[in-house]
Amino acid sequence: MSFQNPVFIPGPTNIPENLRKACDMPTIDHRSPLFGQILHPARAGVQKVLKSTSAEVFIFPSTGTGGWETALTNTLSAGDTVLAARNGMFSQRWIDMCQRHGLNVNVVETPWGQGVPADRYAEILAADTGHQIKAVLATHNETATGVRSNIAAVRQALDDAGHPAMLFVDGVSSIGSMEFRFDDWGVDVAVTGSQKGFMLPAGLGIVGFSAKAMEATKSAKLPRTFFDVHDMAKGYANSAYPYTPAVGLLNGLNTACGMLLDEGLANVFARHHRIAEGVRAAVGAWGLDLCAASPDLYSDTVSAIRTPEGFNATSIVTHAAEVYGVAFGVGLGEVAGKVFRIGHLGSLTDVMMLSGIATAEMCMADLGLDITLGSGVAAAQDYYRANRAERQQDAA
Amino acid sequence: MSFQNPVFIPGPTNIPENLRKACDMPTIDHRSPLFGQILHPARAGVQKVLKSTSAEVFIFPSTGTGGWETALTNTLSAGDTVLAARNGMFSQRWIDMCQRHGLNVNVVETPWGQGVPADRYAEILAADTGHQIKAVLATHNETATGVRSNIAAVRQALDDAGHPAMLFVDGVSSIGSMEFRFDDWGVDVAVTGSQKGFMLPAGLGIVGFSAKAMEATKSAKLPRTFFDVHDMAKGYANSAYPYTPAVGLLNGLNTACGMLLDEGLANVFARHHRIAEGVRAAVGAWGLDLCAASPDLYSDTVSAIRTPEGFNATSIVTHAAEVYGVAFGVGLGEVAGKVFRIGHLGSLTDVMMLSGIATAEMCMADLGLDITLGSGVAAAQDYYRANRAERQQDAA
Amino acid sequence: MSFQNPVFIPGPTNIPENLRKACDMPTIDHRSPLFGQILHPARAGVQKVLKSTSAEVFIFPSTGTGGWETALTNTLSAGDTVLAARNGMFSQRWIDMCQRHGLNVNVVETPWGQGVPADRYAEILAADTGHQIKAVLATHNETATGVRSNIAAVRQALDDAGHPAMLFVDGVSSIGSMEFRFDDWGVDVAVTGSQKGFMLPAGLGIVGFSAKAMEATKSAKLPRTFFDVHDMAKGYANSAYPYTPAVGLLNGLNTACGMLLDEGLANVFARHHRIAEGVRAAVGAWGLDLCAASPDLYSDTVSAIRTPEGFNATSIVTHAAEVYGVAFGVGLGEVAGKVFRIGHLGSLTDVMMLSGIATAEMCMADLGLDITLGSGVAAAQDYYRANRAERQQDAA
Amino acid sequence: MSFQNPVFIPGPTNIPENLRKACDMPTIDHRSPLFGQILHPARAGVQKVLKSTSAEVFIFPSTGTGGWETALTNTLSAGDTVLAARNGMFSQRWIDMCQRHGLNVNVVETPWGQGVPADRYAEILAADTGHQIKAVLATHNETATGVRSNIAAVRQALDDAGHPAMLFVDGVSSIGSMEFRFDDWGVDVAVTGSQKGFMLPAGLGIVGFSAKAMEATKSAKLPRTFFDVHDMAKGYANSAYPYTPAVGLLNGLNTACGMLLDEGLANVFARHHRIAEGVRAAVGAWGLDLCAASPDLYSDTVSAIRTPEGFNATSIVTHAAEVYGVAFGVGLGEVAGKVFRIGHLGSLTDVMMLSGIATAEMCMADLGLDITLGSGVAAAQDYYRANRAERQQDAA
């Protein structure tokens, strides 16, 4: 294995040096007071990253998928109805999970490349006068299509309808990288993982529960033990876990939150936006389109780039890996073969991004696409020069 | 935090240098062929450690508790009956999980300090002519009491009754440290984690499924997504995961299996036995008793040591941590305050163990127990000298 | 400190992941047999990298400068005459060292940008019929100017003159990156360090001594203790050092030699050449010149790039560091302010190099030079595409 | 290699986790301002550890031996006279270095096991009315014999004689572990290394120069380049080095100083004394004697333990390594085969020390010495219990 080049997959991200070291921890007794000195600040840090003052944060040795399951099984019962939009592979998977757990999913089919249709949600919620819908699901950032949805608008739809359904938001590829407002948006369960905005290895499913979601746990009947938030809360009250915690990753999470908050979330989001804009400038220079249908939907963490009809976009990813040792993301599901994805989240600099753009250019040229070498790089350079940050003095 | 002294908790264990480094891995693309080069040998390695030629090994970013849930939810349906013995905190927790998932548990109450009562199982199974019991649960090594149960005898009970129930074995604190024979014992699901015999940080739930258990998954109706073995198997067939894998830990697991198999499982088990015997010699020299009722039940991975009536055993653990910076385990559940536990599994040497024994002596003396300083150490030294291994030339 | 971007200084280089880990070693007893298992293969590995079958390799906890001092003090006496060319800062420093140690240096002043003038050496050696010259010094790769000298030609000059002087070669920034033939070139002392071709942190001065050089140590009268090769040889014979060795770095050196030899030295040199050619293509596209006067002098490890009259080349380096977090090298000595340097040695990929080229472009444009953004990148991309390697499957 | 057990050699010591991580640093540009942020606090930290407000601290990529050479070559000229006592292998080696550098050494032969004879120094200095003696050498802690000398008394001897000779002190195995007072004792050059009290890997020679020593450099004629303190000082003034610095080790040194100063030097020394007293209690319990002739000479960093006549003390060290994987130190020079050494400096706890004592007991018993198992451990336990520290809350 060669670890020399950065990765440009939409997570896990490149891991900063100090997070590598924070995770690489000798064994401590997870029942000793030392553990609380890691756990509690980590939870408090996540709460701040969520822009919440009250969310109950739970951290499972798991992944974002485990976070989805935590959201569902702790708050719902078999036969409950949930509302969800299918606009990409990850929203599709969450819907599938709902169905496998016996929930009744009202699926709003949505073109891949579009965001969650808040207007359609509004109609459905208004029509649901009997309040059969117990939870509304929204994927904040569809990692498969590079589409950011408007969660505030979904909240508005709920409020306009005076609907009491809970709002569950998949923020796996947005939280810590893009604006996320748990409290302001009235989110009831937010779900994320360690390996995206937090820049850590995969291995933690992270959720925030509102008071309303916590209340719902009391009547929820879906079976759960590993993902039970009450067991977890009871453990936390004793600075412990109901089972063996992933101490090193928690230590990393604590450190990661410190890094993000020290940089300032506004700066973190601006940095992601700047790097993403450079990528988008390159895409424009190449004469290609994003999968995301309009600029308001553009994701600052991943760009899914459409290749010309008849070209197999996946070949770019394979070629980049085999010839240049660089990892991009393939298209998934409906857009498999039609897009390739450049991840631009987490621990990344303008300079690193330029090498990713340069590699994509070489691959496309190698594979016969009509790409002028250096064109995307120049467009991104232009953008980065004009919008260059005072260099981050971030600790590492 | 000070990381100088070894830990003597019954897992997570001290982590060998090379496993620290194997886990501390930069991000790779988990959808690239590199990942398969980690995943497949890790699974094959676990299979060998299980002494199986056919078990399907699944590895979840989770813990042993997640492994328990994997066992139940993939093979059973709500209302199914399982047979289980309650002889310690961990068997108790697994029983509790069964109940929370709607299973009907036939609980055999067993004194803490005794093993799984195979004779009682035999009677119950023989009586269950209608084959209501779908699965028999057994905790191979009760970490709370330091008791090893006879799994071969449980198998025999099933065979004698001609009973088709599956045999699920919790090997969390035995597998990789003590003899475990998946195939010979006819185990249907074996459950373990990364942080015990594999000497890794916590974060992986590891299970082996027999063909019979795999067959049972087809009709099992308990809801599952994160822990679904079919999703996992489908992923593995493409050298992938259904979600983001914990690549570093998997790399560590692969390396750990290599270490165990290079040393030779017989040598690994003998080493654990030798170190454990030294601890037991010390306990004898102190005039104390083990929680385990008889030598055939003695665990080679953890000793639960009874302290005199009226003495709070937990104070030893607190004192050791506060005064000497050493971690032992407290008593749990029924034996809370009555025992303290010395873990002696994973990455440990005779020499390290002696410092644990010496520390326990100082603590007991500090707290007023009538312990002759050096007495336990001398007993262990005697044993270790007489049974000294050719020094391990293990790679690090 | 941010460690995200690669460095493009002419050493220390980026350190491969596995060398980081090889160096980061717990303490072992350096008087135990374990140490010999590191020391001996490390020395044998260096010998192979030198393309020698007989050179005595000595490794000091020091740097290349210490290696220079080792060469001089072990083989010469105060008042001895040496022949040396001054064609850059590093040859200048070695000459200065000679003078400070009381040697009589016959300095051949050479334009910075030119190589060691073998023809001039030939004349001087032919004229030295009394064989006053005891040693001929040559800097194989002048790191200050990016100039590679022809050591075979210097050897030829010695042979043509039938001159018995020893040949000392500074290979600090060439060995392990560019062709170096200790035996074929009749080198008597070769000097290098850990932080260039070996891709390790600084901290080792590494020398190879021919039999002739070893013979010279018997009569050499310059005082030496720390750098005494006889003490070192005596230590090595007992798998030990005359003082405390830098065990972790030696372990890293052993691993580094393994990496280089596994890749194959021809492949290593070809890789350096390819990456360097890409940089040179970029320099051409920018309309700039190298400090090195002609292609036969081009270094494959560092390019010193002349900037237009009146422009302060150092400002590029400062700007790159401050604005983009990227490290290039400044001009030194005579060429200070006139050149900036891009290091392209050690652990580097085409992809990483492109980010360095892109950064240099941005800096030059930011500072008002007439540079077309993307032009150098495109030229390098063209070269890399046409000359792409099968991707290195190097271990990490 | 197995890295499980602590080492008990008199340096390099066990390395704390956070120093491992501080040293394991990616490459930075050592000519960038970042480097100054490591260098200057490291130098200031060493000055504080020396208990000096004015010593010029120089740090060479080297070892303590290089520090000795730095002391001599920067301040003396060939033919100069120095006064030195030979009372162990390390004082012997420094004397040898003096002689090899053409100094005239007035050697005071001193029994091994005795300290520097300040009274004899006093006589010689008083008699040297012509002030031929330019420097007085003293080994603060003879690592070979475990003897601490009284440097204040040597100072007194100089003062009483009104003698202007400089005072050079080898504090390699004392500084950072035992009381050392550069200013109060009027030390002119103090020498140490990274791998003892600073708990780092070997690779740094560290010296402090008084104003008087700096003045002496102006007329000193011994040749020097690598170890030239003026080159070094000139570099430091620009936050740089005259050659490539060992950045990671310097970062570690900076962190190490922070650890020592945060703990408080008085606490650090008390900790070393406590651990050493435990070892000495064990030696007493075994009925053995220290090489150090009287308690005022006992070293708190290493104990050299005499074994009975006719017994080969070295066999203990070999046996410990081969059978138990534990490293002790052999006897050197005059006391080879007569003593074995237990190092107890740097990163060590009472608990770790007990495992070393227990191992020594087992080895001695295995080899036929009349040692009661557990006797030394019990004596040390007694001492540690009675003198137990509030547990160090040191960062790791």
Side-chain angles (χ1 to χ4, degrees):
Chain A
M1 280 178 283
S2 173
F3 301 133
Q4 298 176 283
N5 296 323
V7 293
F8 301 101
I9 50 175
T13 75
N14 300 291
I15 310 173
E17 181 69 20
N18 62 339
L19 295 189
R20 289 277 302 275
K21 285 175 175 162
C23 294
D24 172 32
M25 208 176 131
T27 299
I28 63 161
D29 181 5
H30 56 285
R31 298 178 198 266
S32 75
L34 288 179
F35 179 63
Q37 296 169 25
I38 295 169
L39 171 66
H40 298 307
R43 293 181 67 222
V46 170
Q47 200 190 52
K48 283 184 188 143
V49 170
L50 293 177
K51 297 205 173 174
S52 175
T53 59
S54 61
E56 290 274 345
V57 173
F58 301 105
I59 307 164
F60 294 88
S62 177
T63 69
T65 299
W68 291 345
E69 192 161 321
T70 302
L72 303 181
T73 58
N74 281 277
T75 60
L76 299 169
S77 304
D80 280 353
T81 297
V82 301
L83 174 64
R86 175 154 42 207
N87 68 330
M89 182 54 88
F90 293 90
S91 45
Q92 153 64 21
R93 286 189 187 156
W94 204 7
I95 289 167
D96 175 61
M97 178 187 279
C98 291
Q99 291 166 335
R100 288 161 71 166
H101 278 73
L103 301 176
N104 173 33
V105 191
N106 184 339
V107 179
V108 182
E109 296 294 349
T110 307
W112 288 35
Q114 292 291 350
V116 172
D119 49 354
R120 189 72 193 101
Y121 271 29
E123 293 168 13
I124 294 166
L125 290 165
D128 180 34
T129 51
H131 296 167
Q132 289 302 306
I133 296 170
K134 298 303 176 199
V136 172
L137 274 54
T139 300
H140 186 206
N141 189 70
E142 234 312 338
T143 317
T145 57
V147 164
R148 163 166 37 186
S149 288
N150 187 340
I151 304 301
V154 175
R155 172 79 271 158
Q156 195 62 46
L158 279 156
D159 290 350
D160 288 350
H163 199 291
M166 293 178 285
L167 174 56
F168 295 173
V169 182
D170 170 352
V172 170
S173 61
S174 63
I175 289 170
S177 303
M178 289 157 52
E179 179 83 279
F180 190 95
R181 310 186 72 84
F182 188 93
D183 285 0
D184 290 355
W185 295 344
V187 175
D188 291 300
V189 182
V191 175
T192 189
S194 48
Q195 80 278 15
K196 308 268 179 164
F198 293 110
M199 306 170 287
L200 296 165
L204 298 180
I206 302 167
V207 296
F209 269 53
S210 72
K212 185 163 148 189
M214 289 306 293
E215 184 64 27
T217 63
K218 296 178 185 169
S219 53
K221 294 200 165 46
L222 276 174
R224 58 190 177 271
T225 307
F226 185 80
F227 289 121
D228 190 283
V229 297
H230 282 287
D231 288 357
M232 198 55 91
K234 198 170 150 191
Y236 290 170
N238 293 306
S239 297
Y241 256 58
Y243 34 73
T244 313
V247 180
L249 273 175
L250 284 165
N251 195 42
L253 181 63
N254 185 20
T255 308
C257 289
M259 284 175 72
L260 293 172
L261 297 168
D262 283 352
E263 182 176 353
L265 290 179
N267 293 329
V268 171
F269 301 154
R271 172 166 54 77
H272 279 82
H273 183 69
R274 186 185 69 247
I275 293 176
E277 281 288 287
V279 173
R280 292 189 282 256
V283 172
W286 296 333
L288 298 177
D289 292 319
L290 290 175
C291 183
S294 57
D296 57 302
L297 300 172
Y298 290 170
S299 164
D300 282 343
T301 58
V302 56
S303 294
I305 300 159
R306 292 190 182 278
T307 50
E309 278 296 311
F311 182 84
N312 177 11
T314 299
S315 65
I316 294 172
V317 179
T318 308
H319 187 81
E322 290 179 355
V323 176
Y324 299 108
V326 168
F328 295 117
V330 297
L332 300 172
E334 281 190 18
V335 293
K338 298 181 183 167
V339 308
F340 75 101
R341 293 179 297 153
I342 299 181
H344 35 74
L345 78 167
S347 181
L348 209 61
T349 64
D350 302 10
V351 169
M352 291 157 81
M353 196 66 249
L354 289 170
S355 67
I357 294 169
T359 304
E361 283 180 356
M362 291 195 289
C363 292
M364 291 188 286
D366 289 348
L367 295 167
L369 289 183
D370 180 23
I371 294 288
T372 303
L373 290 177
S375 60
V377 170
Q381 283 173 313
D382 249 340
Y383 186 84
Y384 293 147
R385 288 179 59 217
N387 295 276
R388 69 196 190 216
E390 288 305 298
R391 189 186 153 212
Q392 304 304 329
Q393 293 295 337
D394 50 44
Chain B
M1 280 176 283
S2 173
F3 299 133
Q4 297 175 282
N5 296 323
V7 293
F8 300 101
I9 51 176
T13 75
N14 301 289
I15 310 173
E17 181 68 20
N18 61 339
L19 295 188
R20 288 276 302 275
K21 286 175 173 161
C23 293
D24 171 32
M25 207 176 130
T27 299
I28 62 159
D29 181 5
H30 56 285
R31 298 178 198 266
S32 75
L34 288 179
F35 179 64
Q37 296 168 25
I38 296 169
L39 172 66
H40 298 307
R43 293 180 67 220
V46 170
Q47 199 191 53
K48 282 183 190 144
V49 171
L50 293 176
K51 298 203 172 173
S52 175
T53 58
S54 60
E56 289 276 343
V57 173
F58 301 105
I59 307 164
F60 294 88
S62 178
T63 69
T65 299
W68 292 344
E69 194 162 319
T70 301
L72 304 181
T73 58
N74 281 277
T75 58
L76 299 169
S77 304
D80 280 354
T81 297
V82 302
L83 173 64
R86 174 154 45 206
N87 68 329
M89 181 53 88
F90 293 90
S91 45
Q92 153 65 22
R93 287 191 186 155
W94 204 7
I95 289 167
D96 175 61
M97 177 186 278
C98 291
Q99 291 167 337
R100 288 161 72 167
H101 278 73
L103 301 175
N104 174 34
V105 191
N106 185 340
V107 179
V108 181
E109 296 295 348
T110 307
W112 289 34
Q114 292 291 350
V116 171
D119 49 354
R120 189 70 194 102
Y121 272 28
E123 293 167 12
I124 294 167
L125 290 164
D128 179 35
T129 52
H131 296 167
Q132 289 303 305
I133 296 171
K134 300 301 177 200
V136 172
L137 275 54
T139 300
H140 185 205
N141 189 68
E142 234 311 338
T143 318
T145 57
V147 164
R148 162 166 34 186
S149 287
N150 187 341
I151 303 301
V154 174
R155 173 77 271 160
Q156 194 64 46
L158 279 156
D159 290 350
D160 289 350
H163 200 291
M166 292 177 286
L167 173 57
F168 295 172
V169 181
D170 171 353
V172 171
S173 60
S174 63
I175 291 170
S177 303
M178 288 156 51
E179 177 84 278
F180 189 95
R181 311 186 71 85
F182 189 92
D183 285 358
D184 289 355
W185 295 343
V187 175
D188 290 300
V189 182
V191 175
T192 190
S194 47
Q195 79 278 12
K196 307 269 180 167
F198 293 110
M199 307 170 287
L200 297 164
L204 298 179
I206 302 166
V207 295
F209 269 54
S210 71
K212 184 164 149 189
M214 288 306 293
E215 184 64 26
T217 63
K218 296 180 185 169
S219 53
K221 295 202 164 45
L222 275 173
R224 59 190 177 270
T225 307
F226 185 80
F227 289 120
D228 190 284
V229 297
H230 281 287
D231 288 358
M232 198 55 91
K234 199 171 149 191
Y236 291 170
N238 294 305
S239 297
Y241 256 59
Y243 35 74
T244 314
V247 180
L249 274 175
L250 284 166
N251 195 42
L253 181 61
N254 185 19
T255 308
C257 289
M259 284 175 73
L260 294 172
L261 296 168
D262 283 352
E263 183 176 353
L265 290 178
N267 292 329
V268 171
F269 302 154
R271 172 166 54 78
H272 278 83
H273 183 69
R274 185 185 71 246
I275 293 177
E277 281 288 287
V279 172
R280 293 189 281 257
V283 172
W286 296 333
L288 298 177
D289 292 321
L290 290 175
C291 183
S294 56
D296 58 302
L297 300 172
Y298 289 169
S299 163
D300 282 343
T301 59
V302 55
S303 294
I305 301 159
R306 293 190 183 276
T307 51
E309 277 298 310
F311 181 84
N312 177 11
T314 299
S315 65
I316 293 172
V317 179
T318 308
H319 187 80
E322 289 178 355
V323 175
Y324 299 108
V326 168
F328 295 118
V330 298
L332 300 172
E334 280 190 19
V335 292
K338 298 180 183 168
V339 307
F340 75 102
R341 292 179 297 153
I342 299 180
H344 34 74
L345 78 167
S347 180
L348 208 60
T349 64
D350 302 12
V351 169
M352 292 158 80
M353 197 64 249
L354 289 170
S355 68
I357 294 169
T359 304
E361 282 180 357
M362 291 194 289
C363 291
M364 291 188 285
D366 289 349
L367 295 167
L369 289 183
D370 181 24
I371 293 289
T372 303
L373 291 175
S375 60
V377 170
Q381 284 173 313
D382 249 341
Y383 186 84
Y384 293 147
R385 289 178 59 217
N387 296 275
R388 70 196 189 216
E390 286 306 297
R391 189 184 153 212
Q392 304 304 329
Q393 293 295 339
D394 50 45
Chain C
M1 278 177 283
S2 173
F3 300 133
Q4 296 176 283
N5 296 323
V7 293
F8 300 102
I9 52 176
T13 74
N14 301 290
I15 310 173
E17 181 68 19
N18 62 338
L19 295 189
R20 289 276 302 274
K21 286 175 174 160
C23 294
D24 171 32
M25 207 175 130
T27 300
I28 62 159
D29 181 5
H30 56 284
R31 298 178 197 268
S32 75
L34 288 180
F35 178 64
Q37 295 169 24
I38 295 170
L39 172 65
H40 298 307
R43 293 180 68 222
V46 170
Q47 200 190 52
K48 282 184 190 143
V49 171
L50 293 176
K51 297 203 172 172
S52 175
T53 58
S54 61
E56 289 274 344
V57 173
F58 302 105
I59 306 163
F60 294 88
S62 179
T63 68
T65 300
W68 292 345
E69 194 161 319
T70 302
L72 304 181
T73 58
N74 280 278
T75 59
L76 299 169
S77 303
D80 280 354
T81 297
V82 302
L83 173 63
R86 175 154 43 209
N87 68 329
M89 181 53 88
F90 293 91
S91 45
Q92 154 63 22
R93 285 189 187 156
W94 203 8
I95 289 167
D96 175 62
M97 178 187 278
C98 291
Q99 292 167 335
R100 289 161 72 167
H101 278 74
L103 301 174
N104 173 34
V105 191
N106 185 340
V107 178
V108 181
E109 297 294 349
T110 307
W112 289 35
Q114 292 291 350
V116 171
D119 50 354
R120 188 71 194 102
Y121 272 28
E123 294 167 13
I124 294 167
L125 290 165
D128 179 35
T129 51
H131 296 168
Q132 289 303 305
I133 296 170
K134 300 301 176 201
V136 173
L137 275 54
T139 300
H140 185 205
N141 189 70
E142 235 311 340
T143 318
T145 57
V147 164
R148 161 163 40 183
S149 288
N150 186 340
I151 303 302
V154 175
R155 173 78 269 161
Q156 194 63 46
L158 279 156
D159 290 350
D160 289 350
H163 199 291
M166 292 177 286
L167 173 57
F168 295 173
V169 182
D170 170 353
V172 171
S173 59
S174 63
I175 290 170
S177 304
M178 288 157 51
E179 178 84 277
F180 190 96
R181 310 186 72 84
F182 189 92
D183 285 359
D184 289 355
W185 295 343
V187 176
D188 291 300
V189 182
V191 176
T192 190
S194 47
Q195 80 278 14
K196 308 267 179 168
F198 293 111
M199 307 170 286
L200 296 165
L204 298 180
I206 301 165
V207 296
F209 269 54
S210 72
K212 186 163 149 189
M214 288 306 293
E215 184 64 26
T217 63
K218 297 179 185 168
S219 53
K221 295 202 165 45
L222 277 173
R224 59 189 177 270
T225 308
F226 184 80
F227 289 120
D228 191 282
V229 297
H230 282 286
D231 288 359
M232 198 55 92
K234 199 170 148 191
Y236 291 170
N238 293 305
S239 298
Y241 256 59
Y243 35 73
T244 313
V247 181
L249 274 175
L250 285 166
N251 195 42
L253 181 61
N254 185 19
T255 308
C257 290
M259 284 174 73
L260 294 171
L261 297 168
D262 283 351
E263 183 176 353
L265 290 178
N267 292 328
V268 171
F269 302 154
R271 173 167 52 78
H272 279 83
H273 183 68
R274 185 184 71 245
I275 293 177
E277 281 288 286
V279 173
R280 292 190 282 258
V283 171
W286 297 333
L288 298 177
D289 292 322
L290 290 175
C291 184
S294 56
D296 57 303
L297 300 171
Y298 290 169
S299 165
D300 283 341
T301 59
V302 54
S303 294
I305 300 160
R306 292 190 183 277
T307 51
E309 276 298 309
F311 182 85
N312 179 10
T314 299
S315 64
I316 293 172
V317 179
T318 309
H319 186 82
E322 289 178 356
V323 175
Y324 299 108
V326 168
F328 296 118
V330 298
L332 300 172
E334 281 190 19
V335 292
K338 298 180 182 167
V339 308
F340 76 101
R341 293 179 297 152
I342 298 180
H344 35 73
L345 77 167
S347 180
L348 209 60
T349 64
D350 303 11
V351 168
M352 291 159 80
M353 196 65 249
L354 289 170
S355 68
I357 293 169
T359 304
E361 282 180 357
M362 291 195 288
C363 292
M364 290 189 286
D366 288 349
L367 295 167
L369 289 182
D370 181 24
I371 294 288
T372 303
L373 290 176
S375 61
V377 170
Q381 284 173 313
D382 249 341
Y383 186 84
Y384 293 147
R385 288 179 58 217
N387 296 275
R388 70 195 189 217
E390 288 305 298
R391 189 185 155 212
Q392 304 304 329
Q393 294 295 338
D394 49 46
Chain D
M1 281 177 281
S2 172
F3 300 133
Q4 297 176 282
N5 297 323
V7 293
F8 300 102
I9 50 176
T13 75
N14 300 291
I15 310 173
E17 181 70 19
N18 62 337
L19 295 188
R20 288 275 303 274
K21 285 175 175 161
C23 294
D24 171 32
M25 208 176 130
T27 299
I28 63 161
D29 181 5
H30 57 285
R31 298 178 198 266
S32 75
L34 288 179
F35 179 64
Q37 296 168 25
I38 295 169
L39 172 66
H40 298 307
R43 292 180 69 221
V46 170
Q47 200 191 52
K48 281 183 189 144
V49 171
L50 292 176
K51 297 204 171 173
S52 175
T53 59
S54 61
E56 290 275 345
V57 173
F58 302 105
I59 306 163
F60 294 89
S62 177
T63 69
T65 299
W68 291 346
E69 193 161 318
T70 301
L72 303 181
T73 58
N74 281 277
T75 59
L76 299 169
S77 303
D80 280 353
T81 297
V82 301
L83 174 63
R86 174 155 43 208
N87 68 329
M89 182 52 88
F90 293 90
S91 45
Q92 154 64 22
R93 286 189 187 157
W94 203 8
I95 288 167
D96 176 61
M97 178 188 278
C98 291
Q99 291 167 336
R100 289 161 70 166
H101 277 74
L103 302 175
N104 174 32
V105 192
N106 185 339
V107 179
V108 181
E109 297 295 348
T110 307
W112 289 33
Q114 291 291 350
V116 172
D119 49 355
R120 189 68 194 105
Y121 272 28
E123 294 167 13
I124 293 167
L125 290 164
D128 180 33
T129 52
H131 296 167
Q132 290 303 305
I133 296 170
K134 300 302 177 199
V136 173
L137 276 54
T139 299
H140 185 206
N141 190 70
E142 235 312 339
T143 317
T145 58
V147 164
R148 162 164 40 184
S149 287
N150 186 340
I151 304 301
V154 175
R155 172 78 270 159
Q156 195 62 45
L158 280 155
D159 290 351
D160 288 350
H163 200 291
M166 292 177 287
L167 174 56
F168 295 173
V169 182
D170 170 353
V172 171
S173 61
S174 63
I175 290 170
S177 303
M178 289 157 52
E179 179 82 280
F180 190 95
R181 311 186 71 86
F182 189 92
D183 286 359
D184 289 356
W185 295 343
V187 175
D188 291 300
V189 182
V191 176
T192 190
S194 48
Q195 80 278 14
K196 307 268 179 165
F198 293 110
M199 306 170 287
L200 296 164
L204 298 179
I206 301 166
V207 295
F209 269 54
S210 73
K212 186 164 149 188
M214 288 306 293
E215 184 64 26
T217 63
K218 296 179 186 168
S219 53
K221 295 200 164 46
L222 276 174
R224 59 189 177 272
T225 307
F226 184 80
F227 290 120
D228 191 282
V229 298
H230 282 286
D231 288 359
M232 198 55 91
K234 199 171 149 192
Y236 291 170
N238 293 305
S239 297
Y241 256 59
Y243 35 72
T244 312
V247 180
L249 273 175
L250 285 166
N251 195 43
L253 181 62
N254 185 20
T255 307
C257 289
M259 283 175 74
L260 293 171
L261 297 168
D262 283 353
E263 182 175 354
L265 291 177
N267 293 329
V268 171
F269 302 153
R271 172 165 54 77
H272 279 83
H273 183 69
R274 186 185 70 246
I275 293 176
E277 281 288 286
V279 172
R280 293 189 282 257
V283 172
W286 296 333
L288 298 177
D289 292 320
L290 290 174
C291 183
S294 55
D296 58 302
L297 300 172
Y298 290 169
S299 164
D300 283 342
T301 58
V302 55
S303 293
I305 301 159
R306 291 191 184 277
T307 50
E309 277 298 309
F311 181 85
N312 178 10
T314 299
S315 64
I316 293 172
V317 179
T318 308
H319 187 82
E322 290 179 355
V323 176
Y324 300 109
V326 168
F328 296 117
V330 297
L332 301 171
E334 281 191 18
V335 292
K338 297 179 183 168
V339 308
F340 75 102
R341 293 179 298 153
I342 299 180
H344 36 72
L345 77 167
S347 180
L348 209 60
T349 64
D350 302 12
V351 169
M352 291 158 82
M353 196 65 249
L354 289 170
S355 68
I357 294 169
T359 304
E361 282 179 357
M362 290 195 289
C363 292
M364 290 189 285
D366 288 349
L367 295 166
L369 289 182
D370 181 23
I371 294 288
T372 303
L373 289 176
S375 61
V377 170
Q381 284 173 312
D382 248 341
Y383 186 84
Y384 293 147
R385 288 179 59 217
N387 295 275
R388 69 194 189 219
E390 289 305 299
R391 190 186 153 209
Q392 304 303 330
Q393 294 294 337
D394 49 44

